[in-house]
Amino acid sequence: CTFDCIYCDLGRTTHKTVSRQSHVSREEVERELILSLSILEKKPDYITLSGSGEPTLNQNIGEIIHTIKDLTSIPVAVLTNGSLLSIEEVRNELLAADLVLPSLDAVTPFIFEAINRPHLSLRVGDFISGLIQFRKKFRRQIWLEIVFCRGVNDDKEEIVKLKEAIERIQPDRVQLNTP
């Protein structure tokens, strides 16, 4: 993953990276999806790409989204921490999704580092800029997720700054969560 969030339900990130690689092939996703769709009794609301880490680290994510859309009419959602949306290639690959759910837990550098513990190359300003740039091109649904951790990112000053960033990002929905 690109982050080691203090609230992650998967535990500590053992290898933070921003290097995009082929973690799961398009063919593997296609095989599993065909099998899963053949045994489902009820059609799901979404096919969600997430994973044990950041899904946009998979350099095949755009190809995978297109494969899913070729196989089924079920909408595709991408659950992402949003850290790589500052990369134009990543933004373009996600344009085929029907719903993108990025995270934004902090806007000030100190709090961003305290709660998300990002890869050393990631900066909160670039992160927010990537979300704003993505919104300008992506005309489908963006549901921004914020996880509030008591005593970390819940003071009034940070919340005011989060509100200002949200207004600039213009998501369709904001989902507030706690660990």
Side-chain angles (χ1 to χ4, degrees), residues 59-172:
Q59 66 186 14
N60 303 326
I61 193 163
E63 193 178 294
I64 290 169
I65 293 169
H66 286 289
T67 297
I68 295 168
K69 293 181 89 53
D70 288 344
L71 290 173
T72 181
S73 62
I74 300 168
V76 176
V78 179
L79 187 61
T80 173
N81 66 24
S83 62
L84 299 182
L85 287 173
S86 60
I87 302 170
E88 184 176 9
E89 179 182 18
V90 173
R91 291 192 306 268
N92 289 337
E93 290 171 359
L94 293 187
L95 290 175
D98 298 291
L99 170 63
V100 176
L101 299 98
S103 299
L104 178 67
D105 301 324
V107 295
T108 56
F110 178 78
I111 296 175
F112 176 64
E113 290 174 21
I115 194 167
N116 297 127
R117 299 186 297 206
H119 184 274
L120 291 174
S121 68
L122 297 173
R123 302 287 173 260
V124 71
D126 297 335
F127 173 60
I128 294 169
S129 176
L131 289 166
I132 293 166
Q133 290 175 57
F134 182 64
R135 169 77 288 176
K136 288 178 182 176
K137 285 183 129 179
F138 189 70
R139 295 293 165 218
R140 296 181 180 145
Q141 293 285 301
I142 294 177
W143 297 354
L144 191 67
E145 296 187 325
I146 300 171
V147 175
F148 283 109
C149 294
R150 184 175 291 145
V152 180
N153 65 337
D154 62 346
D155 67 36
K156 185 176 180 176
E157 183 179 331
E158 188 68 15
I159 292 171
V160 168
K161 289 180 180 182
L162 274 166
K163 180 182 179 288
E164 292 168 356
I166 292 165
E167 288 170 347
R168 292 174 50 218
I169 296 165
Q170 299 179 358
D172 298 285

Side-chain angles (χ1 to χ4, degrees), residues 15 17-25 54-61 64 84 93:
H15 177 69
T17 184
V18 292
S19 175
R20 299 184 75 217
Q21 299 174 19
S22 179
H23 296 284
V24 179
S25 71
E54 173 52 35
T56 60
L57 281 170
N58 192 330
Q59 66 186 14
N60 303 326
I61 193 163
I64 290 169
L84 299 182
E93 290 171 359

Side-chain angles (χ1 to χ4, degrees), residues 29 33 37 44-49 68 72-78 99:
V29 172
L33 183 59
L37 291 174
D45 295 332
Y46 290 94
I47 295 174
T48 303
L49 300 177
I68 295 168
T72 181
S73 62
I74 300 168
V76 176
V78 179
L99 170 63

